[in-house]
Amino acid sequence: MRTLRPLLALLGLALAACHDRAPPTPHADTPPAEAPAPRTFNEATLGLTLPVPSGMTLRRDFQRSYLDAGAWQTFAGENSQGRPLGALVMDGSNKITAGELRVSESDAAEALAHCEDIPASAAPDSTSIEKLDGVAFQHFRAGDAAMSHYLKVDGYRAVRAGHCVAIDLLVYGTRPEVYDPPATPPFTENQAWSALHAALGGLHWTH
């Protein structure tokens, strides 16, 4: 019995030391975990929400198309002022074929005055009034092409909450046949339009 008491005391000291020991510090070279990509695009000023569907990625810039030069809205005039809000870009988009849904706005006087103007490149008989979650938008289809590059647009324009709201569905890229051998696009134009219109169907106004 006298022999066990010192052993038990030593065991108690060992357990206490283990308990007080600080947890191991992560290795300095271990990269921090990346935050998950947002799955809903929200713009509180406009009261607009748009879920990010599977197969699309939310971006905050428009610097991808050769023909539109990253303008705040497609076919914006040279002095037109506005700002990109977000773009839902189809996964797999590349220089051959790309698809994205862009949302932008402007409260500049000129942009508001000409918000619902139809661009000169709009296809004949392509204009109509379309409602997006109950809000009427001027709708048009238009396109552009140069140096084997092409751009096709389904555009929507409306004044809401004191802002010109521009929503553009774009399919753009380079004609596959100019490559040798011809390039294989990541998806067809029809697949792109179907995905973009399905994404637009999720738009909701909160006020």
Side-chain angles (χ1 to χ4, degrees):
M1 190 69 178
R2 291 178 180 177
T3 305
L4 287 174
R5 286 178 179 175
L7 289 175
L8 290 172
L10 288 173
L11 181 59
L13 290 172
L15 290 173
C18 290
H19 178 75
D20 294 337
R21 188 177 299 164
T25 303
H27 196 280
D29 294 336
T30 303
E34 293 185 5
R39 301 312 303 171
T40 302
F41 166 61
N42 295 287
E43 181 54 42
T45 302
L46 302 178
L48 179 152
T49 66
L50 190 63
V52 181
S54 174
M56 291 187 176
T57 300
L58 177 61
R59 297 281 298 272
R60 295 292 184 173
D61 67 276
F62 293 172
Q63 301 294 329
R64 283 172 297 281
S65 172
Y66 170 83
L67 290 171
D68 71 1
W72 76 275
Q73 64 161 307
T74 313
F75 308 118
E78 184 177 351
N79 299 317
S80 182
Q81 297 180 346
R83 66 185 183 107
L85 297 176
L88 274 54
V89 182
M90 292 181 63
D91 295 348
S93 292
N94 59 22
K95 64 182 180 180
I96 307 303
T97 304
E100 61 184 276
L101 186 163
R102 296 179 177 180
V103 181
S104 55
E105 65 84 23
S106 177
D107 59 2
E110 181 182 1
L112 287 167
H114 298 281
C115 185
E116 298 182 12
D117 289 1
I118 303 300
S121 57
D125 302 322
S126 73
T127 62
S128 59
I129 302 298
E130 303 284 344
K131 287 191 175 182
L132 302 180
D133 193 33
V135 176
F137 276 74
Q138 177 66 62
H139 170 247
F140 63 87
R141 293 188 178 91
D144 196 4
M147 299 292 290
S148 301
H149 297 270
Y150 69 90
L151 171 68
K152 298 181 180 181
V153 181
D154 248 8
Y156 299 81
R157 304 287 184 270
V159 175
R160 179 170 174 79
H163 297 256
C164 175
V165 181
I167 300 175
D168 288 319
L169 279 55
L170 299 91
V171 177
Y172 59 90
T174 310
R175 297 200 310 273
E177 62 270 20
V178 303
Y179 293 87
D180 187 17
T184 301
F187 38 75
T188 67
E189 288 189 27
N190 285 341
Q191 288 172 329
W193 287 122
S194 178
L196 294 173
H197 281 284
L200 182 62
L203 183 149
H204 175 65
W205 306 102
T206 60
H207 60 74

